[in-house]
Amino acid sequence: MASSSSSASVEAQVEAVRSIKASPGASQFEMDMAVESPKGLKLEVAARQAEVNRKEDGATSELINDALRQAVVNILERRLFIIPSFKIYRGVAGLYDYGPPGCAVKSNVLTLWRQHFVMEENMLEVDCPCITPEVVLKASGHVDKFTDLMVNDEKTGTCYRADHLLKDYCKEKLEKDLTLTPAKVAELKHVIAILDDLSAEELGAKLKEYGITAPDTKNPLSDPYPFNLMFRTSIGPTGLSTGFMRPETAQGIFVNFKDLYYYNGNKLPFAAAQIGQAFRNEISPRQGLLRVREFTLAEIEHFVDPDDKSHPKFANVAELEFFMFPREDQLAGKSARKICLREAVSKGIVNNETLGYFIGRVFRFLARLGIDEDRLRFRQHLPNEMAHYAADCWDAEIESSFGWIECVGIADRSAYDLRGHTDKSGVPLVAHEKFSEPREVEKLVITPSKKDLGLAFEGNQKMVVGALEAMSEKEALEMKATLESKGEAEFLVCTLGKTVVITKNMVSIRMEKKKEHQRVFTPSVIEPSFGIGRIIYCLYEHSFHRRPCKSKDEQLNVFRFPPVVAPIKCTVFPLIKNPEFDDVARSIAETLTKAGISNIIDITGTSIGKRYARTDEIGVPFAVTVDSTTSVTIRERDSRQQIRVNIKEVVSVVKELIEGQSTWTALVRAYTQT
Amino acid sequence: MASSSSSASVEAQVEAVRSIKASPGASQFEMDMAVESPKGLKLEVAARQAEVNRKEDGATSELINDALRQAVVNILERRLFIIPSFKIYRGVAGLYDYGPPGCAVKSNVLTLWRQHFVMEENMLEVDCPCITPEVVLKASGHVDKFTDLMVNDEKTGTCYRADHLLKDYCKEKLEKDLTLTPAKVAELKHVIAILDDLSAEELGAKLKEYGITAPDTKNPLSDPYPFNLMFRTSIGPTGLSTGFMRPETAQGIFVNFKDLYYYNGNKLPFAAAQIGQAFRNEISPRQGLLRVREFTLAEIEHFVDPDDKSHPKFANVAELEFFMFPREDQLAGKSARKICLREAVSKGIVNNETLGYFIGRVFRFLARLGIDEDRLRFRQHLPNEMAHYAADCWDAEIESSFGWIECVGIADRSAYDLRGHTDKSGVPLVAHEKFSEPREVEKLVITPSKKDLGLAFEGNQKMVVGALEAMSEKEALEMKATLESKGEAEFLVCTLGKTVVITKNMVSIRMEKKKEHQRVFTPSVIEPSFGIGRIIYCLYEHSFHRRPCKSKDEQLNVFRFPPVVAPIKCTVFPLIKNPEFDDVARSIAETLTKAGISNIIDITGTSIGKRYARTDEIGVPFAVTVDSTTSVTIRERDSRQQIRVNIKEVVSVVKELIEGQSTWTALVRAYTQT
């Protein structure tokens, strides 16, 4: 499907999928990739893409994935990148600690994020509490809608995620039941594909139809019901003031819009940013580090005039080319393909320049971190995935052993959030555009005649007046037409709960010309939202490498972190046990520390090969080996090349490498020439 | 009182105070400063010290404090250093946001903390969740003891902190009631002094005695009862698993002791560190930014052999001299005085070298941040302030308009925390010291004779055996003596709830010589714990300065932040409106950004004086003014001196200043010479 195809045709396709979904028993057989549901498509295409990208032959991808994951997680736990939280008390599902090297990686990723976004884009960073009063999350919709469907074991009360049970049932059937008819196979695949779109009733019906029971006891299950994923607590001692642990950091920015707009000189566009903890009380966390109950988010809210979403710095990223997966391609069963960002915006694949700019900046950020560009794609949300208010939405998805993982969401959320808080708080969260000279505009004026209304409705007069004044422009113009043609009109007064008859004398409705000096509007919000823990986990997998070892059958583990991410930047080893070398090593380590370069010194006298292997495994990029009192060697982790450097220069050379002022290749050239 | 006075005499004094407290009606008249309670002493001495340190004359200190606080908080709110959280919904007491400059200050303080402690001391940094399961906080004592005493309005249910009501009553009486007898004055002062030490019953009795009612309604009050200050929530969907938002970050480190010890090569000493949010559900937060419900802590747990608390780097801090306030001096009614750290440790004022080392390092950290050394003191806890298990405890207190504020606590907590988690989890959190050669030790061996015990106690045999084996060394040796002299001994078996008679044949108790290869012990913990928000608030007050302005009656506000703390490091101003200057300014700003130096560019053409004033108010230390296309001036905020620098050098000069590689004074000398 050409990228110029209109979004109307996309929606038609989605509609076709929806109608099939509505009658799942009907035409299972005719279903094929082209009319498979969007979610299904997403999965199938992802799997294919993964196979294309994969270099290894022979073994099936699942086995490779399991082995890769096991190897990576094994090092992560053994070297304390991660620790299951409260392990001595048998832990809590979905909670993990960052141990020392993991904590350093996280801190490095966040520092780079601040430099790349907050500093380079002049964003206004804020830091708001995790504890959030109910009214804020009522306005944002989280109190009512931030739910997953849950079922209980009717005898023991044990809780399960309803969609998980249905998915597990379908998957197991598909894998193990060899007697399935082709129609049944298609049906089960279809159910997996549409899982996320099912209502509580639909899910309940499917569970009953398939006779699914509680996995542990085989007891019957309750009907599915929504479970709110926020951690609830109580603020203050009375127990009367409900609060929640924030499920995202964004709301803290929205409620501060007015102050931040003022801080920015009452000018648009501007962006605010926040890094902080967020909390989701998952019913049953799965997928290890990827679905957890507490995690670090880094979020940006870029406020922009809805009538002008151009971006002055778009040219800086326009020539970037990377894997994109527009919705047309997904629906047409195609794969993600490399698209130039300029083309994506000019052809309307990406809704606007500002959204495009952030997609480009996110790509650059992930590449700087060391995410493999061939296992990174930007996937556009399909219409049924997007919130009704969103103008466009793209996820940066990174391929891992768990499949394609949504790590950054980049959404044009229009005016939804600011409007919600304006309505709930009564504080207008709006921007002003001053006109250079006043403009004449037509405005609707509704003037109820209180006298006539009083005579007709007596005590109810106030309610009728209020309802008349609150009419929308459309309603008012319709009433005006009816009054002019018929002399009276029926009118529903919600506050009275009944319809009354309004006559011509009771209200005057007319358009008036007015001079306006400024335009008042609710800004649109473009929101790039980063799941820091997920990015870090994918980074671990992408950086992981196994290096053949001299002793065959053995392999050495290496994390090929770029210097900016590496938890420890440099090691210092005396080549052999020698007090003089030890002193030199100590003095170099001290100077590195003073220069802010994290380092470890190992004077244990273990063989140099073993010391390299130990530090390669946690991804230390550079090793200084002291074998004289005047010069030392610096070894680079991936090439394993060495250069010889004077002791006086060593710290400045390492600093240049770490801060990216020079590259290893350039240094090797320089130092082998001399 | 000389610092060599034994702690026994201190305890005697505290005991004296306690006995007076027990009979408050008795000898109010004889009470004077020397026998005033420790808490009272603390307050009085603090007030006197403040007066000594204060430079201004005339106005009373309270007025000065109020004016200072108002001026500082005014700028903090106007320039968005802080924002009351959820302001558009009228906020939540005790919750504050950091706005853009505040957020930058916080991030700078934490970066310096990481460099000063984690990097320079090779600490193991971890990052654990805020959500903590109940069992962990049960083991730490928080579930049972982390409480404040609360009373309710008996008709409306409104909650109050009991001690606040009593304190407010006493203060108001003392200020406004001119008819008070000297005895009554002494009594009320005494009550304020001992407030923190009162039990629920004692507090309740005082409230009744003084006829204190609910402040808003004058309704009667309930008896005081403990209210737990932790935010409670529920982990997972069942509602059966209670969790709390952590009240401190330390527990996350303690539960990981075993892994961290292993990570450190099973060697002591080592320190772990954590920065993160902590939560306390205050009954009624007061004191603005100093007592909040969510805050950032930075905590260090230094694990050390209890038999060897020396520190290899103590010499690095030993010569430091700063205000210390040992408990002897507090009890003797003296003021804090400058003491050399070496002397404090050698004379035993500070319990051990490691504690002394951390006190020195904390002093250096606060000084690097810009805390005024004359308004900083290290106050030792009095015996009644310390937990029973603590070996010694010092608070870094910073003087602010609210008085002396505890900002860092540095405690030797002995083995309390690790033992608590060992007992509760069953996982031994211990360290091992391998002996170079095995040592012979005497060990107690208790061997019950099951046959004889079975004959005597039949079904109860098991319980008696268990109780015998569980005897402490002391109990066992006593029984051995009794059995040898009398042939039988009475013995309480708790599990049976009764005393039985044990005869000689039923148990053999003897000392045996054994060879041991290692010593197994629970490490001591030395814990420096930093309240980051409090430190930052005090820093604001200490950095605040009013500069006389040309137009008299007006003063300019300046935050004299050191460059390392300043939220924005540099401004770039074209001197006059001129496109060429604008281009130069933009290019300098871009280069600063790339070098990681936060900056703002102001090309509005406002008068240069106004632009300086605006940025002085948020503490920007350096301003680059573009008045030519070849060279620019750099202006320093506090001296308001300027130097002229070539455009090509400007960024490297600013970078050197920011990173502390050169000082302004040195630069002025260098640039005025050439």
Side-chain angles (χ1 to χ4, degrees), chain A residues 87-391:
Chain A
K87 196 171 143 183
I88 60 169
Y89 293 103
R90 292 185 213 171
V92 173
L95 294 180
Y96 289 89
D97 298 347
Y98 290 85
C103 194
V105 167
K106 183 181 172 190
S107 163
N108 293 338
V109 168
L110 293 176
T111 300
L112 186 69
W113 193 88
R114 274 208 175 95
Q115 168 69 22
H116 189 87
F117 292 105
V118 179
M119 279 278 285
E120 292 178 17
E121 306 289 345
N122 273 308
M123 294 176 175
L124 309 182
E125 189 179 348
V126 300
D127 182 3
C128 310
C130 300
I131 294 172
T132 307
E134 185 170 29
V135 62
V136 172
L137 296 160
K138 197 88 185 155
S140 69
H142 286 92
V143 171
D144 296 325
K145 289 179 187 156
F146 193 62
T147 55
D148 273 344
L149 292 170
M150 183 157 88
V151 288
N152 296 118
D153 181 317
E154 287 207 328
K155 289 189 184 152
T156 67
T158 309
C159 305
Y160 302 95
R161 249 182 82 164
D163 57 343
H164 280 179
L165 293 189
L166 183 54
K167 190 177 180 182
D168 291 348
Y169 170 87
C170 295
K171 276 189 143 182
E172 208 188 314
K173 271 275 177 198
L174 286 168
E175 278 168 22
K176 299 194 181 154
D177 188 345
L178 302 172
T179 68
L180 290 181
T181 62
K184 197 71 190 170
V185 167
E187 181 191 317
L188 293 173
K189 280 188 174 171
H190 173 72
V191 169
I192 293 176
I194 60 166
L195 214 55
D196 290 3
D197 299 332
L198 294 178
S199 69
E201 292 69 31
E202 289 168 325
L203 247 173
K206 275 284 161 212
L207 291 174
K208 282 225 166 59
E209 184 189 332
Y210 294 155
I212 297 173
T213 54
D216 304 321
T217 60
K218 306 298 164 206
N219 289 333
L221 294 168
S222 73
D223 287 331
Y225 62 95
F227 170 73
N228 195 297
L229 296 179
M230 292 193 294
F231 285 97
R232 176 191 290 265
T233 190
S234 194
I235 305 174
T238 60
L240 301 173
S241 173
T242 297
F244 297 93
M245 303 313 297
R246 63 181 175 192
E248 57 176 33
T249 69
Q251 302 306 321
I253 297 177
F254 296 136
V255 300
N256 280 326
F257 171 78
K258 209 179 154 185
D259 278 342
L260 294 171
Y261 180 58
Y262 165 79
Y263 188 84
N264 200 52
N266 291 329
K267 285 200 186 77
L268 284 187
F270 73 90
Q274 180 166 202
I275 297 171
Q277 294 302 89
F279 305 82
R280 297 187 186 175
N281 194 10
E282 300 287 347
I283 295 172
S284 52
R286 292 178 171 196
Q287 291 193 300
L289 293 162
L290 295 174
R291 189 163 293 277
V292 291
R293 285 175 165 155
E294 180 175 340
F295 46 95
T296 301
L297 282 182
E299 296 193 294
I300 296 165
E301 310 298 328
H302 180 89
F303 298 100
V304 62
D305 186 337
D307 294 347
D308 177 13
K309 293 184 180 173
S310 66
H311 196 288
K313 284 160 77 183
F314 180 68
N316 296 355
V317 298
E319 302 314 321
L320 287 176
E321 234 187 77
F322 43 79
F323 281 107
M324 298 188 84
F325 203 5
R327 66 168 75 99
E328 282 87 352
D329 290 7
Q330 295 170 54
L331 291 168
K334 294 182 182 171
S335 299
R337 60 190 162 100
K338 284 205 172 179
I339 305 182
C340 170
L341 198 49
R342 178 190 303 285
E343 185 195 313
V345 170
S346 67
K347 290 197 172 160
I349 301 174
V350 170
N351 182 283
N352 59 70
E353 248 188 22
T354 297
L355 194 62
Y357 180 70
F358 278 109
I359 290 174
R361 291 289 293 165
V362 169
F363 171 78
R364 277 240 172 95
F365 172 70
L366 295 174
R368 273 174 96 173
L369 281 184
I371 293 293
D372 178 356
E373 297 176 18
D374 289 334
R375 288 187 278 170
L376 165 63
R377 70 180 186 194
F378 288 81
R379 192 182 67 78
Q380 189 173 30
H381 277 202
L382 294 165
N384 71 329
E385 287 179 88
M386 276 202 303
H388 64 276
Y389 49 79

Side-chain angles (χ1 to χ4, degrees), chain B residues 615-636:
Chain B
T615 54
D616 283 350
E617 199 179 53
I618 57 169
V620 181
F622 303 107
V624 172
T625 304
V626 180
D627 53 3
S628 100
T629 54
T630 53
S631 71
V632 298
T633 63
I634 304 180
R635 176 236 194 208
E636 194 269 340

Side-chain angles (χ1 to χ4, degrees), chain B residues 168-355:
Chain B
D168 291 348
Y169 170 87
C170 295
K171 277 189 141 182
E172 209 188 312
K173 271 276 176 198
L174 286 168
E175 278 168 21
K176 299 191 181 155
D177 188 345
L178 301 173
T179 67
L180 288 180
T181 63
K184 196 73 191 171
V185 167
E187 181 191 317
L188 293 173
K189 280 189 175 170
H190 175 71
V191 169
I192 292 176
I194 59 165
L195 214 53
D196 291 4
D197 300 332
L198 294 179
S199 69
E201 291 68 32
E202 290 168 324
L203 246 172
K206 275 283 160 213
L207 291 174
K208 283 224 167 62
E209 183 188 335
Y210 293 156
I212 297 174
T213 53
D216 304 321
T217 59
K218 307 296 164 209
N219 290 333
L221 293 168
S222 72
D223 286 332
Y225 60 96
F227 170 74
N228 194 298
L229 297 178
M230 292 194 292
F231 286 98
R232 176 190 289 266
T233 190
S234 192
I235 305 174
T238 60
L240 301 174
S241 173
T242 298
F244 297 93
M245 303 313 298
R246 61 180 176 193
E248 59 175 32
T249 69
Q251 301 307 322
I253 297 177
F254 296 135
V255 298
N256 280 326
F257 171 79
K258 208 179 155 186
D259 278 344
L260 294 170
Y261 180 59
Y262 165 79
Y263 188 85
N264 200 52
N266 291 329
K267 286 200 185 74
L268 284 187
F270 73 91
Q274 180 165 203
I275 297 172
Q277 294 302 90
F279 304 82
R280 296 187 187 176
N281 194 11
E282 299 288 347
I283 294 170
S284 52
R286 294 178 169 194
Q287 289 194 303
L289 293 161
L290 295 175
R291 188 162 293 277
V292 291
R293 285 175 165 155
E294 182 176 338
F295 47 95
T296 301
L297 282 182
E299 296 192 294
I300 295 166
E301 310 299 327
H302 181 90
F303 299 101
V304 63
D305 184 337
D307 293 348
D308 178 12
K309 294 184 180 173
S310 65
H311 196 289
K313 285 159 76 183
F314 180 68
N316 297 354
V317 298
E319 302 314 321
L320 288 175
E321 232 187 79
F322 44 78
F323 281 107
M324 298 188 84
F325 204 4
R327 66 168 73 99
E328 280 86 353
D329 290 7
Q330 296 170 54
L331 291 169
K334 295 184 183 171
S335 300
R337 59 189 162 102
K338 286 206 174 179
I339 305 182
C340 170
L341 198 49
R342 178 191 304 284
E343 184 194 315
V345 171
S346 68
K347 289 198 174 160
I349 301 173
V350 169
N351 182 283
N352 58 71
E353 249 189 22
T354 297
L355 194 62

Side-chain angles (χ1 to χ4, degrees), chain B residues 488-522:
Chain B
E488 62 176 48
E490 291 208 328
F491 181 56
L492 175 68
V493 181
C494 292
T495 44
L496 291 178
K498 64 176 184 184
T499 299
V500 299
V501 173
I502 301 291
T503 53
K504 220 174 166 180
N505 60 318
M506 293 180 187
V507 61
S508 130
I509 299 169
R510 65 193 184 283
M511 298 303 286
E512 267 185 18
K513 286 194 174 166
K514 275 196 167 182
K515 286 214 167 177
E516 288 208 332
H517 298 264
Q518 62 175 6
R519 182 180 140 235
V520 179
F521 61 96
T522 305

Side-chain angles (χ1 to χ4, degrees), chain A residues 66-76 78 544 546 557:
Chain A
D66 283 355
L68 169 68
R69 189 186 312 152
Q70 224 169 342
V72 170
V73 170
N74 181 294
I75 303 176
L76 293 179
R78 187 162 40 79
F544 181 69
R546 279 198 154 157
N557 301 314

Side-chain angles (χ1 to χ4, degrees), chain B residues 300-594:
Chain B
I300 295 166
E301 310 299 327
H302 181 90
F303 299 101
V304 63
D305 184 337
D307 293 348
D308 178 12
K309 294 184 180 173
S310 65
H311 196 289
K313 285 159 76 183
F314 180 68
N316 297 354
V317 298
E319 302 314 321
L320 288 175
E321 232 187 79
F322 44 78
F323 281 107
M324 298 188 84
F325 204 4
R327 66 168 73 99
E328 280 86 353
D329 290 7
Q330 296 170 54
L331 291 169
K334 295 184 183 171
S335 300
R337 59 189 162 102
K338 286 206 174 179
I339 305 182
C340 170
L341 198 49
R342 178 191 304 284
E343 184 194 315
V345 171
S346 68
K347 289 198 174 160
I349 301 173
V350 169
N351 182 283
N352 58 71
E353 249 189 22
T354 297
L355 194 62
Y357 180 70
F358 279 109
I359 289 175
R361 290 291 293 165
V362 169
F363 171 79
R364 278 241 171 97
F365 172 71
L366 295 173
R368 275 174 94 172
L369 281 184
I371 292 295
D372 179 356
E373 296 176 18
D374 288 335
R375 287 187 278 170
L376 166 63
R377 70 179 184 194
F378 288 80
R379 191 183 67 78
Q380 188 172 31
H381 277 202
L382 294 166
N384 70 329
E385 289 179 86
M386 278 203 300
H388 64 275
Y389 49 80
D392 195 4
C393 186
W394 292 76
D395 285 342
E397 294 185 334
I398 306 178
E399 201 197 13
S400 79
S401 65
F402 291 97
W404 286 94
I405 304 302
E406 173 199 340
C407 290
V408 187
I410 309 152
D412 183 336
R413 300 174 55 81
S414 74
Y416 175 78
D417 308 279
L418 293 183
R419 285 225 179 98
H421 288 297
T422 298
D423 290 349
K424 194 84 181 172
S425 70
V427 176
L429 303 177
V430 293
H432 305 261
E433 186 202 2
K434 288 224 168 74
F435 299 141
S436 47
E437 46 190 78
R439 293 185 192 172
E440 201 161 78
V441 289
E442 280 219 313
K443 277 228 148 180
L444 182 80
V445 180
I446 301 172
T447 322
S449 159
K450 289 188 184 162
K451 192 186 130 210
D452 294 310
L453 288 163
L455 285 170
F457 302 111
E458 292 172 353
N460 292 336
Q461 180 228 25
K462 240 185 170 172
M463 264 85 96
V464 180
V465 168
L468 286 170
E469 284 174 343
M471 279 189 292
S472 71
E473 188 167 315
K474 186 166 163 267
E475 286 174 295
L477 292 178
E478 278 170 12
M479 178 180 283
K480 184 179 163 76
T482 314
L483 290 177
E484 275 163 14
S485 62
K486 300 188 185 164
E488 62 176 48
E490 291 208 328
F491 181 56
L492 175 68
V493 181
C494 292
T495 44
L496 291 178
K498 64 176 184 184
T499 299
V500 299
V501 173
I502 301 291
T503 53
K504 220 174 166 180
N505 60 318
M506 293 180 187
V507 61
S508 130
I509 299 169
R510 65 193 184 283
M511 298 303 286
E512 267 185 18
K513 286 194 174 166
K514 275 196 167 182
K515 286 214 167 177
E516 288 208 332
H517 298 264
Q518 62 175 6
R519 182 180 140 235
V520 179
F521 61 96
T522 305
S524 276
V525 173
I526 298 200
E527 177 190 84
S529 170
F530 298 70
I532 297 298
R534 289 182 166 197
I535 293 172
I536 291 175
Y537 178 76
C538 293
L539 187 61
Y540 290 144
E541 285 200 3
H542 287 204
S543 306
F544 181 69
H545 175 68
R546 280 198 154 156
R547 179 186 290 161
C549 185
K550 277 175 202 160
S551 62
K552 54 175 184 171
D553 299 340
E554 218 185 301
Q555 287 188 309
L556 294 175
N557 301 315
V558 186
F559 274 126
R560 291 174 150 176
F561 299 128
V564 70
V565 164
I568 289 159
K569 310 297 185 197
C570 188
T571 52
V572 189
F573 300 145
L575 183 65
I576 50 164
K577 271 261 177 208
N578 172 331
E580 275 192 324
F581 293 177
D582 287 1
D583 286 349
V584 172
R586 278 200 198 92
S587 131
I588 291 173
E590 254 173 49
T591 323
L592 286 169
T593 300
K594 270 190 197 134

